[in-house]
């Protein structure tokens, strides 16, 4: 879905949210991404997910670090290294009507939003099933690039 994203410094805008419209009901999913802190302090990696079901499994760099995305990884290594996340979960058989924010959120430093930091997040993927795969461009994006080169050459 996203190839690259740089988090902004304003705390009220420091998140990525994915509409539940991207997910099919009654299915298993993996959301995966890479992240690197550029500056500041990062202590947690978590997100608001009232529309979605467990059991949750949150992996950082291949190691299980949490069984809830709402509380997420409470021991994010506050370094400048690249970390790879996989969040495994299920969608419900019907969407709840009581969720006022029907999105899958990625929220660094949840719930301490006032912490100052810059963060790069890229290779974000939503995959149906139980296995994350390497990032690759969407076929329609590849075709658009080929078409652009063809138009330029002619």
């Amino acid at each position: 879905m996203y190839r690259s994203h740089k988090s902004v410094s304003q705390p009220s805008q420091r998140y990525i949210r994915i509409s539940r419209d991207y997910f099919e009901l009654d299915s298993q999913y993996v959301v995966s991404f890479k992240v690197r802190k550029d500056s500041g302090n990062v202590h947690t990696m978590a997100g608001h997910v009232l529309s979605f079901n467990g059991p949750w499994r949150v992996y950082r760099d291949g190691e299980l670090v949490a069984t809830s995305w709402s509380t997420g990884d409470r021991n994010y290594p506050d370094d400048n290294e690249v970390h790879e996340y996989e969040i495994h979960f299920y969608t419900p058989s019907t969407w709840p009507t009581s969720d006022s924010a029907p999105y899958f959120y990625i929220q660094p430093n949840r719930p301490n939003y006032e912490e100052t930091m810059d963060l790069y997040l890229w290779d974000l993927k939503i995959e149906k099933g139980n296995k994350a795969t390497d990032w690759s461009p969407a076929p329609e994006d590849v075709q658009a690039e080929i078409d652009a080169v063809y138009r330029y050459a002619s």
Side-chain angles (χ1 to χ4, degrees):
M1 174 181 284
Y2 297 99
R3 176 62 179 155
S4 173
H5 176 79
K6 182 175 188 215
S7 176
V8 294
S9 297
Q10 293 81 11
S12 64
Q13 299 175 351
R14 198 176 299 136
Y15 61 82
I16 291 176
R17 72 179 190 182
I18 305 163
S19 171
R20 69 183 183 194
D21 295 340
Y22 284 99
F23 301 90
E24 292 180 21
L25 290 168
D26 205 22
S27 300
Q28 185 175 6
Y29 280 91
V30 178
V31 171
S32 60
F33 57 90
K34 294 177 184 171
V35 63
R36 180 180 57 82
K37 180 189 77 163
D38 194 37
S39 65
N41 299 304
V42 179
H43 306 289
T44 64
M45 191 65 62
H48 171 89
V49 287
L50 289 180
S51 285
F52 303 91
N53 293 339
W56 293 87
R57 291 185 327 277
V58 179
Y59 295 89
R60 177 184 11 96
D61 301 327
E63 181 179 330
L64 180 67
V65 293
T67 55
S68 165
W69 184 236
S70 181
T71 55
D73 182 1
R74 304 309 259 172
N75 295 304
Y76 184 88
D78 195 22
D79 58 25
N80 295 73
E81 302 300 317
V82 173
H83 297 287
E84 296 184 30
Y85 275 86
E86 289 184 17
I87 301 97
H88 297 248
F89 61 96
Y90 292 84
T91 54
S93 56
T94 58
W95 294 119
T97 57
S98 59
D99 189 355
S100 61
Y103 302 95
F104 182 100
Y105 280 85
I106 300 171
Q107 297 167 296
N109 283 341
R110 176 182 165 95
N112 301 313
Y113 303 115
E114 298 306 315
E115 193 78 46
T116 301
M117 54 101 171
D118 275 322
L119 183 83
Y120 288 92
L121 190 147
W122 69 97
D123 289 358
L124 175 61
K125 289 186 76 172
I126 302 168
E127 298 180 270
K128 191 174 179 182
N130 62 1
K131 184 171 173 69
T133 60
D134 289 337
W135 186 89
S136 61
E140 59 270 18
D141 293 343
V142 172
Q143 187 60 51
E145 289 180 18
I146 292 169
D147 294 345
V149 169
Y150 179 75
R151 281 190 303 275
Y152 179 76
S154 24

